[in-house]
Amino acid sequence: MTAPTDATPATDAAAYDLTSNISPYLDLHMMFPLLEYIDSLISSGSISYNAMDVAQARLELLKPTHMVDYAMDIYREVHGENAQIPQEMEDQKAGVFKKLEELKDGQAAFEELCRNEEARANLVSSNQWNVHSITSNASYGITAETIDNYYKFAKFNFHCGDYQQGRDMIENYLSLFASPPKQRKEDGDDEDDELTGGDDNRNSSEEEKTGNPNMYYLTSVDTTLLQVLWGKLSCEILVEDWEEAAVALVAVKTAIESLASSSKLSPLDALHQRTWLLHWSLFVFWNDASGKGLESMVDLFTSEKYLQAITTHAPHLLRYLTAAVLLCKRRAAKKAGNNSNAEGRRLLRDLVKVMKQCEYSDPIVEFVEQLSVKFDFEAAQSQLALCEKVLSTDFFLCKQTELFMEEARVFVFENYCRIHHKIDLTTLGEKLAMDRNRAERWIVDLIRNALLDAKIDSEEGCVVMGTGSTSVYEKVMDRTKELTARSGGLVVNLRSYMNDVKRDKIRKERKAREEAEY
């Protein structure tokens, strides 16, 4: 994709577009929503990409997939509605349908068993819902190759764009390697267990066989199952089931760390896997309606192993970490409670440390750096004007533009107030791009909700900051945080004193005995 070189507003947006940075770490199918969003930006004039370049890029991405009909539509979009479809694409379409029928026939026996709810339930209850038991029973007519074809068929459906069908089939496939906790037996069955005396042993045995709950109860994982888990995550993302996608994300992360800790993944491979996971997680975290996704994102991105992946492979992810910290900073402070914003300050301190390790900058990162590190309010204000453009043209951040700008104004206000005792409302309104009355109403609401010691002096038309008095809770914490060390020192001193007393007593007794002998 190309953009004009003249310094137009749309060119600025194109200069900060991260699609080319992110795309190497995404599945091909995940690129289509990003390209569709870029198409919408081109239509609105928000970004200066060439629409034909985007269509050609989409066509290139479609070649390795089996979405031949979609590829033909894009081909006509690029070459004209009446363009002759290349024979190569026609042959590919015929090949796709042929392969689809072959795989469908090769896995039919297992698919039929999956749909037979009664038979499946019986196999699950008798601990026989696994590859070995199913393939050992000749009556089912299922072999290891049948199950392998079932997984291949699931992947084929995915590449055809049928993500829902692919997801359901992957769930069935994963269940063959899982051992979920067994349901409690009915009261009548418990009497039988008492007669046999085997209830306790059976329960302990079942608990031992239960798989990892963070990994769909898989009892173990290898590199092959890791790829299946990646497939599950991609399906959940593409069907936009964000709640299940969050579960799948945890499963992939758990599998990666399990394989890395057991040396089944080399450190370099594990680093690559973590880098991919960070990029895929953007879909999940930025679409979490509960609001907890950004907090989870900050925790993941700032953990040691994943921070290493960001600094070495993907410094551009600093944009999303910075935006997440700014958006959840106040919420974290409120959650900590006790009228303290120490948690928010901790998040910013950690973010600044990451900034020093990453050779990356854009208006969002620069805005936070100017306020938190340089305290340059004029530079921060100019960067904030660019932030809105960057946010609105970013696929992941566009829905958070309004909230980000609000939190950014709060951030400016908080920092400005910390270095000034008295602030003129008119001056502050100018920095917040508001008139005096609107700024006063906004600041009143902010003081009520933000953890700031300040008040409005309407007569003088200014904001007066408090004395910065420390809350009782913080005073108690400050007084007691070194209590353990002081107590330890007291014990050492007391022990030393008692030893000295004992030594003096022994010396006196020895001297008394020596004098008595003489």
Side-chain angles (χ1 to χ4, degrees):
M1 295 176 288
T2 59
T5 56
D6 58 315
T8 61
T11 304
D12 293 337
Y16 296 115
D17 179 35
L18 292 181
T19 304
S20 59
N21 300 80
I22 294 173
S23 58
Y25 302 99
L26 297 181
D27 185 275
L28 291 180
H29 294 257
M30 294 179 186
M31 285 300 302
F32 299 129
L34 271 67
L35 294 180
E36 287 174 5
Y37 184 68
I38 288 177
D39 276 334
S40 68
L41 294 177
I42 294 173
S43 300
S44 63
S46 301
I47 198 166
S48 294
Y49 284 141
N50 187 299
M52 286 297 102
D53 287 345
V54 177
Q56 185 63 45
R58 185 185 287 110
L59 189 59
E60 291 297 320
L61 289 174
L62 284 167
K63 285 183 179 179
T65 73
H66 303 318
M67 296 190 290
V68 188
D69 288 335
Y70 185 26
M72 289 179 176
D73 291 339
I74 301 301
Y75 184 87
R76 292 189 182 96
E77 181 181 332
V78 173
H79 298 281
E81 192 65 32
N82 298 321
Q84 181 69 31
I85 300 298
Q87 186 61 39
E88 179 185 354
M89 298 182 77
E90 296 287 358
D91 293 341
Q92 183 184 4
K93 182 175 182 179
V96 166
F97 281 106
K98 181 180 179 181
K99 186 66 175 178
L100 191 66
E101 290 300 319
E102 290 177 0
L103 289 173
K104 187 174 182 179
D105 293 338
Q107 56 82 52
F110 183 66
E111 182 179 16
E112 183 180 350
L113 180 61
C114 290
R115 292 179 177 178
N116 189 333
E117 296 182 3
E118 182 178 354
R120 178 170 178 170
N122 291 333
L123 288 170
V124 171
S125 63
S126 60
N127 294 327
Q128 292 182 334
W129 185 255
N130 54 69
V131 176
H132 176 72
S133 299
I134 292 174
T135 55
S136 298
N137 192 330
S139 63
Y140 296 126
I142 297 173
T143 64
E145 184 180 2
T146 306
I147 295 176
D148 185 51
N149 283 334
Y150 184 81
Y151 176 58
K152 290 179 180 178
F153 189 46
K155 289 179 64 177
F156 203 86
N157 276 304
F158 174 85
H159 285 297
C160 289
D162 192 349
Y163 309 124
Q164 182 69 53
Q165 177 71 8
R167 177 180 73 166
D168 295 342
M169 295 181 72
I170 287 177
E171 286 181 356
N172 290 332
Y173 183 81
L174 281 173
S175 67
L176 294 172
F177 305 90
S179 180
K182 304 299 183 292
Q183 295 181 348
R184 290 181 175 274
K185 293 183 179 294
E186 300 295 335
D187 294 338
D189 294 334
D190 290 340
E191 295 178 2
D192 296 336
D193 287 331
E194 291 176 2
L195 293 174
T196 59
D199 184 62
D200 293 338
N201 292 333
R202 186 178 305 166
N203 286 338
S204 62
S205 175
E206 289 176 353
E207 288 176 1
E208 290 177 359
K209 293 179 181 179
T210 300
N212 190 332
N214 292 326
M215 206 164 56
Y216 296 112
Y217 292 101
L218 295 177
T219 53
S220 63
V221 66
D222 55 20
T223 53
T224 301
L225 279 179
L226 175 60
Q227 294 305 310
V228 179
L229 291 173
W230 277 109
K232 180 72 162 63
L233 175 57
S234 61
C235 288
E236 299 295 357
I237 289 173
L238 291 166
V239 299
E240 299 184 1
D241 188 339
W242 305 120
E243 186 175 345
E244 286 300 319
V247 175
L249 184 72
V250 173
V252 173
K253 178 178 179 293
T254 305
I256 291 172
E257 301 311 321
S258 175
L259 291 172
S261 63
S262 60
S263 300
K264 294 179 181 178
L265 270 182
S266 69
L268 183 59
D269 288 338
L271 181 63
H272 287 311
Q273 295 275 341
R274 294 184 186 112
T275 307
W276 278 72
L277 187 65
L278 287 169
H279 286 82
W280 289 31
S281 72
L282 296 176
F283 289 92
V284 182
F285 291 137
W286 289 102
N287 285 285
D288 187 342
S290 68
K292 298 179 180 178
L294 296 185
E295 296 173 19
S296 301
M297 176 181 168
V298 172
D299 291 340
L300 176 65
F301 277 47
T302 54
S303 60
E304 182 180 356
K305 294 176 181 177
Y306 288 83
L307 183 57
Q308 181 187 14
I310 293 174
T311 55
T312 57
H313 280 26
H316 53 271
L317 292 179
L318 181 60
R319 169 188 293 184
Y320 302 102
L321 175 60
T322 303
V325 168
L326 198 60
L327 288 170
C328 68
K329 179 174 64 69
R330 276 203 299 167
R331 186 161 60 243
K334 289 180 180 180
K335 186 181 293 186
N338 303 301
N339 198 32
S340 171
N341 58 359
E343 180 63 19
R345 290 197 295 269
R346 182 192 67 79
L347 289 175
L348 282 172
R349 285 197 302 270
D350 292 344
L351 176 62
V352 171
K353 291 179 183 177
V354 179
M355 287 179 177
K356 293 178 180 179
Q357 300 176 46
C358 290
E359 295 183 0
Y360 173 81
S361 183
D362 65 20
I364 295 174
V365 175
E366 189 68 20
F367 166 73
V368 174
E369 184 178 4
Q370 292 293 345
L371 281 182
S372 299
V373 180
K374 301 177 181 178
F375 294 98
D376 187 338
F377 291 92
E378 297 299 327
Q381 188 174 5
S382 64
Q383 292 298 326
L384 186 57
L386 291 173
C387 283
E388 188 167 11
K389 186 181 300 296
V390 173
L391 289 161
S392 61
T393 54
D394 188 292
F395 174 80
F396 298 103
L397 302 179
C398 59
K399 297 178 182 177
Q400 305 290 338
T401 302
E402 185 176 346
L403 180 59
F404 180 94
M405 297 303 293
E406 175 70 13
E407 291 296 331
R409 291 190 182 98
V410 172
F411 193 37
V412 171
F413 179 75
E414 288 175 339
N415 282 274
Y416 198 79
C417 290
R418 286 195 182 99
I419 60 176
H420 295 85
H421 174 67
K422 185 180 290 188
I423 308 157
D424 181 68
L425 278 172
T426 303
T427 302
L428 188 57
E430 291 175 356
K431 292 191 175 296
L432 298 174
M434 298 178 178
D435 58 58
R436 185 185 182 282
N437 293 331
R438 185 184 171 201
E440 182 174 355
R441 290 194 299 270
W442 184 83
I443 293 169
V444 167
D445 292 335
L446 182 62
I447 291 174
R448 186 182 298 123
N449 298 315
L451 304 172
L452 293 174
D453 181 16
K455 63 180 180 180
I456 298 287
D457 188 334
S458 298
E459 293 182 359
E460 295 189 15
C462 62
V463 180
V464 181
M465 301 305 299
T467 59
S469 58
T470 308
S471 67
V472 175
Y473 172 79
E474 290 179 323
K475 289 180 180 178
V476 172
M477 292 300 295
D478 290 339
R479 296 277 181 89
T480 59
K481 64 181 179 181
E482 296 180 359
L483 186 59
T484 302
R486 292 178 180 178
S487 300
L490 182 61
V491 170
V492 171
N493 292 336
L494 182 59
R495 185 179 291 115
S496 177
Y497 173 76
M498 294 301 296
N499 290 336
D500 291 342
V501 170
K502 289 180 181 179
R503 282 195 292 269
D504 289 342
K505 183 178 180 181
I506 291 172
R507 281 198 298 268
K508 288 178 181 179
E509 291 177 350
R510 183 183 299 153
K511 185 176 181 181
R513 284 198 301 271
E514 291 175 352
E515 291 176 352
E517 289 177 357
Y518 286 110

